[in-house]
mmCIF file of all heavy atoms in Angstrom:
data_model
loop_
_atom_site.group_PDB
_atom_site.id
_atom_site.type_symbol
_atom_site.label_atom_id
_atom_site.label_comp_id
_atom_site.label_asym_id
_atom_site.label_seq_id
_atom_site.Cartn_x
_atom_site.Cartn_y
_atom_site.Cartn_z
ATOM 1 N N ASP A 1 12.204 6.821 -6.113
ATOM 2 C CA ASP A 1 11.052 7.528 -6.671
ATOM 3 C C ASP A 1 9.718 7.067 -6.098
ATOM 4 O O ASP A 1 8.690 7.697 -6.342
ATOM 5 C CB ASP A 1 11.049 7.455 -8.198
ATOM 6 C CG ASP A 1 11.120 6.035 -8.730
ATOM 7 O OD1 ASP A 1 10.774 5.097 -7.990
ATOM 8 O OD2 ASP A 1 11.522 5.862 -9.899
ATOM 9 N N LEU A 2 9.716 5.968 -5.346
ATOM 10 C CA LEU A 2 8.476 5.526 -4.690
ATOM 11 C C LEU A 2 8.465 5.880 -3.204
ATOM 12 O O LEU A 2 7.605 5.400 -2.455
ATOM 13 C CB LEU A 2 8.298 4.008 -4.857
ATOM 14 C CG LEU A 2 8.030 3.500 -6.274
ATOM 15 C CD1 LEU A 2 7.854 1.985 -6.276
ATOM 16 C CD2 LEU A 2 6.798 4.166 -6.876
ATOM 17 N N GLU A 3 9.390 6.725 -2.790
ATOM 18 C CA GLU A 3 9.514 7.044 -1.359
ATOM 19 C C GLU A 3 8.239 7.678 -0.800
ATOM 20 O O GLU A 3 7.722 7.249 0.241
ATOM 21 C CB GLU A 3 10.708 7.959 -1.127
ATOM 22 C CG GLU A 3 10.928 8.305 0.335
ATOM 23 C CD GLU A 3 12.203 9.097 0.562
ATOM 24 O OE1 GLU A 3 12.965 9.307 -0.415
ATOM 25 O OE2 GLU A 3 12.442 9.511 1.714
ATOM 26 N N GLU A 4 7.734 8.699 -1.472
ATOM 27 C CA GLU A 4 6.557 9.397 -0.952
ATOM 28 C C GLU A 4 5.330 8.493 -0.958
ATOM 29 O O GLU A 4 4.529 8.505 -0.016
ATOM 30 C CB GLU A 4 6.303 10.674 -1.750
ATOM 31 C CG GLU A 4 7.395 11.728 -1.585
ATOM 32 C CD GLU A 4 7.697 12.026 -0.126
ATOM 33 O OE1 GLU A 4 6.731 12.203 0.655
ATOM 34 O OE2 GLU A 4 8.885 12.080 0.233
ATOM 35 N N GLU A 5 5.166 7.697 -2.014
ATOM 36 C CA GLU A 5 4.035 6.763 -2.070
ATOM 37 C C GLU A 5 4.136 5.722 -0.972
ATOM 38 O O GLU A 5 3.133 5.329 -0.360
ATOM 39 C CB GLU A 5 3.986 6.077 -3.433
ATOM 40 C CG GLU A 5 3.615 6.991 -4.582
ATOM 41 C CD GLU A 5 3.574 6.244 -5.913
ATOM 42 O OE1 GLU A 5 3.017 5.138 -5.939
ATOM 43 O OE2 GLU A 5 4.113 6.758 -6.902
ATOM 44 N N THR A 6 5.359 5.258 -0.707
ATOM 45 C CA THR A 6 5.563 4.256 0.334
ATOM 46 C C THR A 6 5.264 4.846 1.709
ATOM 47 O O THR A 6 4.624 4.201 2.555
ATOM 48 C CB THR A 6 7.006 3.718 0.288
ATOM 49 O OG1 THR A 6 7.282 3.213 -1.016
ATOM 50 C CG2 THR A 6 7.200 2.603 1.304
ATOM 51 N N LYS A 7 5.699 6.071 1.936
ATOM 52 C CA LYS A 7 5.424 6.727 3.216
ATOM 53 C C LYS A 7 3.923 6.967 3.395
ATOM 54 O O LYS A 7 3.390 6.815 4.504
ATOM 55 C CB LYS A 7 6.173 8.056 3.295
ATOM 56 C CG LYS A 7 7.673 7.910 3.513
ATOM 57 C CD LYS A 7 8.356 9.265 3.573
ATOM 58 C CE LYS A 7 9.841 9.130 3.875
ATOM 59 N NZ LYS A 7 10.527 10.454 3.902
ATOM 60 N N ALA A 8 3.259 7.315 2.304
ATOM 61 C CA ALA A 8 1.813 7.529 2.374
ATOM 62 C C ALA A 8 1.090 6.228 2.718
ATOM 63 O O ALA A 8 0.148 6.215 3.525
ATOM 64 C CB ALA A 8 1.308 8.092 1.050
ATOM 65 N N LEU A 9 1.531 5.136 2.106
ATOM 66 C CA LEU A 9 0.925 3.837 2.401
ATOM 67 C C LEU A 9 1.222 3.426 3.841
ATOM 68 O O LEU A 9 0.354 2.848 4.516
ATOM 69 C CB LEU A 9 1.458 2.786 1.427
ATOM 70 C CG LEU A 9 0.890 1.376 1.573
ATOM 71 C CD1 LEU A 9 -0.634 1.367 1.448
ATOM 72 C CD2 LEU A 9 1.508 0.439 0.528
ATOM 73 N N CYS A 10 2.422 3.713 4.301
ATOM 74 C CA CYS A 10 2.776 3.427 5.693
ATOM 75 C C CYS A 10 1.814 4.129 6.652
ATOM 76 O O CYS A 10 1.332 3.528 7.622
ATOM 77 C CB CYS A 10 4.219 3.878 5.948
ATOM 78 S SG CYS A 10 4.790 3.651 7.649
ATOM 79 N N LYS A 11 1.517 5.377 6.355
ATOM 80 C CA LYS A 11 0.583 6.139 7.181
ATOM 81 C C LYS A 11 -0.823 5.580 7.067
ATOM 82 O O LYS A 11 -1.550 5.456 8.071
ATOM 83 C CB LYS A 11 0.611 7.604 6.761
ATOM 84 C CG LYS A 11 -0.231 8.519 7.631
ATOM 85 C CD LYS A 11 -0.073 9.972 7.209
ATOM 86 C CE LYS A 11 -0.896 10.893 8.102
ATOM 87 N NZ LYS A 11 -0.742 12.324 7.702
ATOM 88 N N GLN A 12 -1.218 5.230 5.849
ATOM 89 C CA GLN A 12 -2.552 4.673 5.619
ATOM 90 C C GLN A 12 -2.758 3.379 6.410
ATOM 91 O O GLN A 12 -3.844 3.126 6.934
ATOM 92 C CB GLN A 12 -2.737 4.394 4.127
ATOM 93 C CG GLN A 12 -4.074 3.771 3.761
ATOM 94 C CD GLN A 12 -4.142 3.420 2.279
ATOM 95 O OE1 GLN A 12 -3.591 4.123 1.428
ATOM 96 N NE2 GLN A 12 -4.793 2.316 1.956
ATOM 97 N N LEU A 13 -1.688 2.581 6.506
ATOM 98 C CA LEU A 13 -1.756 1.302 7.229
ATOM 99 C C LEU A 13 -1.480 1.464 8.720
ATOM 100 O O LEU A 13 -1.384 0.467 9.442
ATOM 101 C CB LEU A 13 -0.764 0.304 6.611
ATOM 102 C CG LEU A 13 -1.012 -0.064 5.151
ATOM 103 C CD1 LEU A 13 0.095 -0.974 4.630
ATOM 104 C CD2 LEU A 13 -2.376 -0.736 4.986
ATOM 105 N N GLN A 14 -1.318 2.719 9.147
ATOM 106 C CA GLN A 14 -1.110 3.069 10.559
ATOM 107 C C GLN A 14 0.136 2.384 11.140
ATOM 108 O O GLN A 14 0.116 1.827 12.231
ATOM 109 C CB GLN A 14 -2.367 2.704 11.382
ATOM 110 C CG GLN A 14 -3.608 3.453 10.926
ATOM 111 C CD GLN A 14 -4.841 3.131 11.754
ATOM 112 O OE1 GLN A 14 -4.879 2.173 12.509
ATOM 113 N NE2 GLN A 14 -5.864 3.966 11.605
ATOM 114 N N LEU A 15 1.218 2.507 10.375
ATOM 115 C CA LEU A 15 2.482 1.914 10.796
ATOM 116 C C LEU A 15 3.491 2.964 11.282
ATOM 117 O O LEU A 15 4.653 2.631 11.521
ATOM 118 C CB LEU A 15 3.108 1.135 9.628
ATOM 119 C CG LEU A 15 2.388 -0.133 9.171
ATOM 120 C CD1 LEU A 15 3.001 -0.661 7.880
ATOM 121 C CD2 LEU A 15 2.445 -1.201 10.261
ATOM 122 N N GLN A 16 3.047 4.206 11.441
ATOM 123 C CA GLN A 16 4.001 5.273 11.767
ATOM 124 C C GLN A 16 4.769 5.001 13.054
ATOM 125 O O GLN A 16 5.955 5.356 13.166
ATOM 126 C CB GLN A 16 3.280 6.637 11.911
ATOM 127 C CG GLN A 16 2.410 7.030 10.737
ATOM 128 C CD GLN A 16 0.940 6.691 10.986
ATOM 129 O OE1 GLN A 16 0.610 5.535 11.242
ATOM 130 N NE2 GLN A 16 0.089 7.700 10.918
ATOM 131 N N ASN A 17 4.134 4.389 14.028
ATOM 132 C CA ASN A 17 4.801 4.141 15.309
ATOM 133 C C ASN A 17 5.798 2.982 15.233
ATOM 134 O O ASN A 17 6.670 2.863 16.102
ATOM 135 C CB ASN A 17 3.766 3.840 16.404
ATOM 136 C CG ASN A 17 2.904 5.051 16.724
ATOM 137 O OD1 ASN A 17 3.338 6.189 16.549
ATOM 138 N ND2 ASN A 17 1.688 4.814 17.185
ATOM 139 N N ALA A 18 5.665 2.162 14.195
ATOM 140 C CA ALA A 18 6.540 0.990 14.083
ATOM 141 C C ALA A 18 7.695 1.216 13.114
ATOM 142 O O ALA A 18 8.763 0.621 13.275
ATOM 143 C CB ALA A 18 5.730 -0.229 13.634
ATOM 144 N N VAL A 19 7.477 2.059 12.107
ATOM 145 C CA VAL A 19 8.430 2.178 11.001
ATOM 146 C C VAL A 19 9.124 3.536 11.011
ATOM 147 O O VAL A 19 8.467 4.580 11.094
ATOM 148 C CB VAL A 19 7.713 1.980 9.642
ATOM 149 C CG1 VAL A 19 8.693 2.186 8.492
ATOM 150 C CG2 VAL A 19 7.087 0.597 9.573
ATOM 151 N N ASP A 20 10.442 3.514 10.933
ATOM 152 C CA ASP A 20 11.232 4.731 10.763
ATOM 153 C C ASP A 20 11.868 4.730 9.376
ATOM 154 O O ASP A 20 12.579 3.773 9.008
ATOM 155 C CB ASP A 20 12.349 4.815 11.806
ATOM 156 C CG ASP A 20 11.831 5.096 13.203
ATOM 157 O OD1 ASP A 20 10.734 5.663 13.322
ATOM 158 O OD2 ASP A 20 12.528 4.735 14.179
ATOM 159 N N PHE A 21 11.635 5.776 8.602
ATOM 160 C CA PHE A 21 12.289 5.953 7.306
ATOM 161 C C PHE A 21 13.576 6.745 7.548
ATOM 162 O O PHE A 21 13.524 7.929 7.878
ATOM 163 C CB PHE A 21 11.373 6.690 6.331
ATOM 164 C CG PHE A 21 10.229 5.848 5.823
ATOM 165 C CD1 PHE A 21 9.039 5.757 6.537
ATOM 166 C CD2 PHE A 21 10.344 5.148 4.622
ATOM 167 C CE1 PHE A 21 7.974 4.989 6.062
ATOM 168 C CE2 PHE A 21 9.299 4.377 4.145
ATOM 169 C CZ PHE A 21 8.114 4.292 4.864
ATOM 170 N N LEU A 22 14.709 6.100 7.377
ATOM 171 C CA LEU A 22 15.997 6.705 7.720
ATOM 172 C C LEU A 22 16.703 7.323 6.523
ATOM 173 O O LEU A 22 17.772 7.912 6.682
ATOM 174 C CB LEU A 22 16.904 5.658 8.374
ATOM 175 C CG LEU A 22 16.339 4.990 9.638
ATOM 176 C CD1 LEU A 22 17.355 4.009 10.205
ATOM 177 C CD2 LEU A 22 15.947 6.018 10.682
ATOM 178 N N GLY A 23 16.132 7.186 5.321
ATOM 179 C CA GLY A 23 16.755 7.745 4.135
ATOM 180 C C GLY A 23 18.018 6.994 3.750
ATOM 181 O O GLY A 23 18.239 5.856 4.167
ATOM 182 N N PHE A 24 18.852 7.656 2.960
ATOM 183 C CA PHE A 24 20.099 7.031 2.521
ATOM 184 C C PHE A 24 21.119 7.022 3.648
ATOM 185 O O PHE A 24 21.310 8.025 4.341
ATOM 186 C CB PHE A 24 20.670 7.782 1.319
ATOM 187 C CG PHE A 24 22.051 7.315 0.935
ATOM 188 C CD1 PHE A 24 22.223 6.131 0.235
ATOM 189 C CD2 PHE A 24 23.177 8.060 1.290
ATOM 190 C CE1 PHE A 24 23.492 5.703 -0.115
ATOM 191 C CE2 PHE A 24 24.448 7.639 0.933
ATOM 192 C CZ PHE A 24 24.610 6.446 0.231
ATOM 193 N N MET A 25 21.783 5.888 3.847
ATOM 194 C CA MET A 25 22.895 5.774 4.792
ATOM 195 C C MET A 25 24.080 5.192 4.036
ATOM 196 O O MET A 25 23.972 4.118 3.444
ATOM 197 C CB MET A 25 22.537 4.867 5.973
ATOM 198 C CG MET A 25 21.495 5.424 6.917
ATOM 199 S SD MET A 25 21.119 4.264 8.288
ATOM 200 C CE MET A 25 22.678 4.258 9.182
ATOM 201 N N ASP A 26 25.199 5.900 4.052
ATOM 202 C CA ASP A 26 26.389 5.408 3.359
ATOM 203 C C ASP A 26 26.943 4.163 4.044
ATOM 204 O O ASP A 26 27.530 3.302 3.391
ATOM 205 C CB ASP A 26 27.457 6.499 3.301
ATOM 206 C CG ASP A 26 28.704 6.033 2.576
ATOM 207 O OD1 ASP A 26 28.580 5.594 1.416
ATOM 208 O OD2 ASP A 26 29.797 6.088 3.170
ATOM 209 N N ASN A 27 26.765 4.062 5.349
ATOM 210 C CA ASN A 27 27.293 2.915 6.086
ATOM 211 C C ASN A 27 26.233 2.389 7.056
ATOM 212 O O ASN A 27 26.239 2.714 8.248
ATOM 213 C CB ASN A 27 28.556 3.314 6.846
ATOM 214 C CG ASN A 27 29.191 2.142 7.587
ATOM 215 O OD1 ASN A 27 28.793 0.987 7.409
ATOM 216 N ND2 ASN A 27 30.167 2.433 8.425
ATOM 217 N N PRO A 28 25.304 1.553 6.572
ATOM 218 C CA PRO A 28 24.248 1.018 7.436
ATOM 219 C C PRO A 28 24.625 -0.303 8.107
ATOM 220 O O PRO A 28 23.763 -0.994 8.652
ATOM 221 C CB PRO A 28 23.101 0.805 6.456
ATOM 222 C CG PRO A 28 23.796 0.407 5.182
ATOM 223 C CD PRO A 28 25.107 1.167 5.162
ATOM 224 N N LEU A 29 25.905 -0.677 8.072
ATOM 225 C CA LEU A 29 26.294 -2.024 8.508
ATOM 226 C C LEU A 29 26.064 -2.259 9.990
ATOM 227 O O LEU A 29 25.640 -3.348 10.395
ATOM 228 C CB LEU A 29 27.764 -2.285 8.150
ATOM 229 C CG LEU A 29 28.063 -2.298 6.650
ATOM 230 C CD1 LEU A 29 29.566 -2.439 6.404
ATOM 231 C CD2 LEU A 29 27.308 -3.422 5.955
ATOM 232 N N LYS A 30 26.351 -1.269 10.832
ATOM 233 C CA LYS A 30 26.130 -1.459 12.270
ATOM 234 C C LYS A 30 24.646 -1.580 12.560
ATOM 235 O O LYS A 30 24.222 -2.409 13.383
ATOM 236 C CB LYS A 30 26.744 -0.295 13.049
ATOM 237 C CG LYS A 30 26.641 -0.441 14.583
ATOM 238 C CD LYS A 30 27.331 -1.689 15.079
ATOM 239 C CE LYS A 30 27.579 -1.651 16.588
ATOM 240 N NZ LYS A 30 26.389 -1.401 17.398
ATOM 241 N N LEU A 31 23.841 -0.769 11.897
ATOM 242 C CA LEU A 31 22.391 -0.869 12.062
ATOM 243 C C LEU A 31 21.917 -2.258 11.654
ATOM 244 O O LEU A 31 21.106 -2.878 12.345
ATOM 245 C CB LEU A 31 21.698 0.202 11.229
ATOM 246 C CG LEU A 31 20.171 0.274 11.316
ATOM 247 C CD1 LEU A 31 19.709 1.711 11.171
ATOM 248 C CD2 LEU A 31 19.492 -0.580 10.249
ATOM 249 N N LEU A 32 22.436 -2.757 10.532
ATOM 250 C CA LEU A 32 22.075 -4.097 10.066
ATOM 251 C C LEU A 32 22.491 -5.150 11.078
ATOM 252 O O LEU A 32 21.714 -6.045 11.417
ATOM 253 C CB LEU A 32 22.733 -4.359 8.710
ATOM 254 C CG LEU A 32 22.536 -5.739 8.083
ATOM 255 C CD1 LEU A 32 21.059 -6.013 7.843
ATOM 256 C CD2 LEU A 32 23.317 -5.838 6.773
#
């Protein structure tokens, strides 16, 4: 429920080029 606020803050802090929001992943183990 804080996803949109977090994305807005990410943009405000000019982190768009550094941060990717990948959403829900059922199996994020390889990424980890």
Side-chain angles (χ1 to χ4, degrees):
D1 55 21
L2 292 181
E3 182 174 356
E4 294 308 314
E5 291 180 44
T6 304
K7 286 180 176 179
L9 182 57
C10 178
K11 185 176 181 180
Q12 178 185 325
L13 298 176
Q14 299 182 346
L15 292 171
Q16 307 98 303
N17 293 333
V19 177
D20 289 336
F21 287 86
L22 302 182
F24 172 77
M25 291 179 67
D26 181 56
N27 183 9
L29 296 175
K30 184 59 164 54
L31 182 147
L32 177 60

